[in-house]
C-alpha cells in the first residue's frame, strides 16, 4: 500500500534487534521503509548499559545506504569523536550532561561536514543547551531515561521541551531537526507529531514479535502526520520537509540572477531547466526552486527582484536579436 509522502521521518533504533546480528537488523529496518538508522552507543558508564562502538558502526555503514544517526550515551565523546566520524556516521549526537567540554566536540562534528546534535535527559532542563544553540543541527529530546529500550513514553517532558527545542534551532532556516527518542510507538506517535517533531526514533515497537515492521512504520508516520495536521497545520496534511516549490520561471540568464541573489542571501535554491516556453535564443525557460519550508521568507526578501526580472524577460524576448543577425 503506497502512502503519499508526509512530514514525519523515522530513525529506527536497532537496540532491541538481535545484537548478535546487527547487520540483519539494519537490513530489516531499511527494507521496512525506515528513513534512517539510530545507533545507541552506550559505555556502561554514562548509562548502565553497554552496546557497541565505532568498529561495529563501520560494519553497519557497509551494509546500508540509509543515513546513520549516532546517539552517543558515553562520558567521553570528545576522546573518540574521530573514530565515530571515520566510521561513517551522518549525524552525531552527544549528551549535554557529560562532564567534558562540549563545544570542541560539536565543532569537530561540524568540521567533518556532519550534523551535530545535543541530547537532553528527561530530568535536565532544555535551557542547558542554550550556550550551544548556534552550533546545533539536531536537538534530541529523551522521553525515557537513557539506557534501555521498551520504556514508557514521558509525554509531559515532550510537551515542555518541544517548543524550546525548535527555538534552539532558529538559526537554521532549513535542516534543523528536533528528534524524540524513547517510547515512540503507534500509541504515542500522534502527540509526537502534534508537537512538531521532525525525526521519531523508534526502537522496540519495530521489533515486537508478530508485528509487521513495514506496517508499523507506515502507521507511526501516518499517526504522527495526523497529529501535526490537526495540532499545528490547521487541518492541512503536511508535505515532505524537503519538498521544493517553483518560485519563478525565467529565461536562463535571468533565472541565474535570481538564483544568485537568493544564494548570496544564504538561502537555499536550485535552478532547473523547466518544461515551460522556448525562448527566442532556442533555450527553454528555467525554474528557480526553493524548499517549501522557507518559501515565505524567500518571497518576502526576493519578490520584488523576481517581479523585475519577469518584466525584463518580457522586454528581452520582445527585443531579441539573434547574435548572427
Ligand atoms: C534509549 C535509547 C533509545 C531506545 C529507543 O536509551 O536512546 O534510542 O533504543 O527504544 P524504544 O523506542 O523502545 O524506547
Ligand atoms: Zn537513542
Amino acid at each position: 500500500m503506497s502512502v503519499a509522502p508526509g512530514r514525519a521521518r523515522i530513525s529506527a533504533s536497532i537496540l532491541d534487534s538481535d545484537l548478535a546480528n546487527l547487520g540483519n537488523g539494519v537490513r530489516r529496518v531499511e527494507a521496512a521503509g525506515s528513513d534512517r538508522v539510530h545507533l545507541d552507543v552506550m559505555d556502561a558508564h554514562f548509562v548502565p548499559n553497554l552496546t557497541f562502538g565505532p568498529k561495529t558502526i563501520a560494519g553497519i555503514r557497509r551494509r546500508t545506504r540509509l543515513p546513520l544517526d549516532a546517539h552517543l550515551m558515553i562520558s567521553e565523546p570528545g576522546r573518540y569523536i574521530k573514530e565515530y566520524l571515520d566510521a561513517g556516521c551522518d549525524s552525531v549526537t552527544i549528551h549535554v550532561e557529560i562532564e567534558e567540554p562540549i563545544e570542541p566536540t560539536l565543532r569537530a562534528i561540524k568540521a567533518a561536514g556532519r550534523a551535530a546534535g545535543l541530547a537532553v535527559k528527561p530530568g535536565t532542563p532544555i535551557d542547558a543547551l542554550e550556550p550551544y544553540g548556534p552550533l546545533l543541527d539536531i536537538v534530541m529530546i529523551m522521553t525515557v531515561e537513557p539506557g534501555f529500550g521498551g520504556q514508557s513514553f514521558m509525554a509531559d517532558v515532550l510537551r515542555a521541551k518541544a517548543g524550546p527545542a525548535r527555538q534552539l534551532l532558529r538559526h537554521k532556516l532549513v535542516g534543523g531537526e528536533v528528534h524524540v527518542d524513547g517510547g515512540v510507538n503507534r500509541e504515542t506517535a500522534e502527540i509526537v507529531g502534534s508537537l512538531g517533531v521532525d525525526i521519531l526514533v523508534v526502537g522496540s515497537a519495530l521489533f515486537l514479535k508478530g508485528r509487521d515492521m513495514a506496517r508499523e512504520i507506515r502507521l507511526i508516520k501516518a499517526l504522527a502526520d495526523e497529529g501535526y495536521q490537526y495540532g499545528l497545520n490547521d487541518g492541512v496534511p503536511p508535505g515532505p520537509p524537503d519538498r521544493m516549490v517553483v518560485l519563478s520561471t525565467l529565461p536562463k540568464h535571468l533565472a541565474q540572477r535570481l538564483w544568485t541573489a537568493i544564494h548570496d542571501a544564504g538561502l537555499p535554491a536550485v535552478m532547473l531547466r523547466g518544461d515551460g516556453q522556448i525562448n527566442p535564443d532556442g533555450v527553454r525557460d528555467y525554474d528557480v526552486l526553493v524548499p517549501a519550508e522557507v518559501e515565505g521568507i524567500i518571497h518576502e526578501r526576493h519578490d520584488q527582484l523576481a517581479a523585475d526580472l519577469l518584466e525584463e524577460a518580457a522586454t528581452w524576448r520582445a527585443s531579441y536579436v539573434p547574435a548572427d543577425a
Side-chain angles (χ1 to χ4, degrees):
M1 174 180 79
S2 68
V3 178
R7 180 182 180 277
R9 296 274 168 277
I10 294 217
S11 190
S13 162
I14 53 173
L15 182 64
D16 279 345
S17 72
D18 173 3
L19 291 184
N21 193 351
L22 283 174
N24 184 48
V26 169
R27 268 191 296 275
R28 283 187 62 200
V29 298
E30 181 164 3
S34 183
D35 303 284
R36 302 148 79 132
V37 179
H38 180 91
L39 302 165
D40 290 307
V41 175
M42 303 180 185
D43 64 356
H45 187 265
F46 181 78
V47 287
N49 197 357
L50 182 67
T51 56
F52 44 76
K55 290 223 172 2
T56 306
I57 293 179
I60 289 171
R61 178 71 286 168
R62 290 192 292 275
R63 284 169 175 72
T64 179
R65 275 188 299 231
L66 288 182
L68 300 182
D69 296 327
H71 176 195
L72 303 188
M73 288 161 276
I74 63 177
S75 298
E76 301 177 286
R79 189 167 160 198
Y80 303 103
I81 195 62
K82 187 173 177 319
E83 278 93 335
Y84 286 99
L85 296 169
D86 291 349
C89 299
D90 297 280
S91 76
V92 180
T93 295
I94 63 175
H95 265 266
V96 71
E97 298 90 359
I98 57 175
E99 274 149 28
E100 68 170 28
I102 287 172
E103 191 167 330
T105 307
L106 294 177
R107 289 192 183 284
I109 298 166
K110 292 178 81 68
R114 317 299 163 80
L118 267 181
V120 55
K121 290 182 179 180
T124 307
I126 187 93
D127 52 24
L129 279 68
E130 200 60 58
Y132 312 102
L135 287 171
L136 298 179
D137 304 297
I138 293 173
V139 172
M140 187 178 291
I141 301 169
M142 297 297 306
T143 40
V144 297
E145 255 332 297
F148 301 93
Q151 300 178 77
S152 301
F153 179 74
M154 299 176 182
D156 291 343
V157 168
L158 184 58
R159 284 196 194 95
K161 294 180 177 177
R166 181 64 62 197
Q167 275 305 305
L168 280 163
L169 296 167
R170 61 190 176 278
H171 60 283
K172 296 225 14 135
L173 276 170
V174 286
E177 295 172 351
V178 175
H179 293 212
V180 159
D181 187 12
V184 179
N185 53 36
R186 58 167 82 172
E187 280 77 39
T188 57
E190 200 166 342
I191 183 178
V192 171
S194 74
L195 292 163
V197 168
D198 306 297
I199 308 292
L200 289 73
V201 177
V202 187
S204 54
L206 300 184
F207 293 94
L208 289 174
K209 290 234 167 336
R211 284 265 173 99
D212 172 339
M213 191 187 282
R215 182 164 181 272
E216 215 56 41
I217 286 177
R218 286 198 304 274
L219 265 177
I220 291 171
K221 281 187 178 183
L223 288 162
D225 281 339
E226 190 128 324
Y228 185 87
Q229 176 175 348
Y230 296 104
L232 290 171
N233 217 31
D234 304 326
V236 179
D242 45 11
R243 187 166 58 90
M244 300 292 281
V245 293
V246 175
L247 186 79
S248 188
T249 298
L250 292 158
K252 188 175 181 183
H253 63 293
L254 299 174
Q256 186 72 53
R257 276 171 46 197
L258 180 58
W259 179 87
T260 306
I262 297 170
H263 192 261
D264 292 354
L267 293 161
V270 289
M271 227 178 95
L272 290 175
R273 196 171 59 196
D275 49 17
Q277 68 176 297
I278 296 183
N279 288 298
D281 60 354
V283 181
R284 204 178 275 281
D285 267 354
Y286 274 62
D287 294 332
V288 176
L289 299 106
V290 299
E293 57 185 323
V294 288
E295 186 187 3
I297 297 165
I298 294 181
H299 272 304
E300 255 170 55
R301 297 184 189 175
H302 298 284
D303 258 6
Q304 188 53 55
L305 172 63
D308 297 348
L309 290 170
L310 278 173
E311 252 179 57
E312 196 174 328
T315 318
W316 172 77
R317 290 190 189 102
S319 59
Y320 181 79
V321 181
D324 56 3

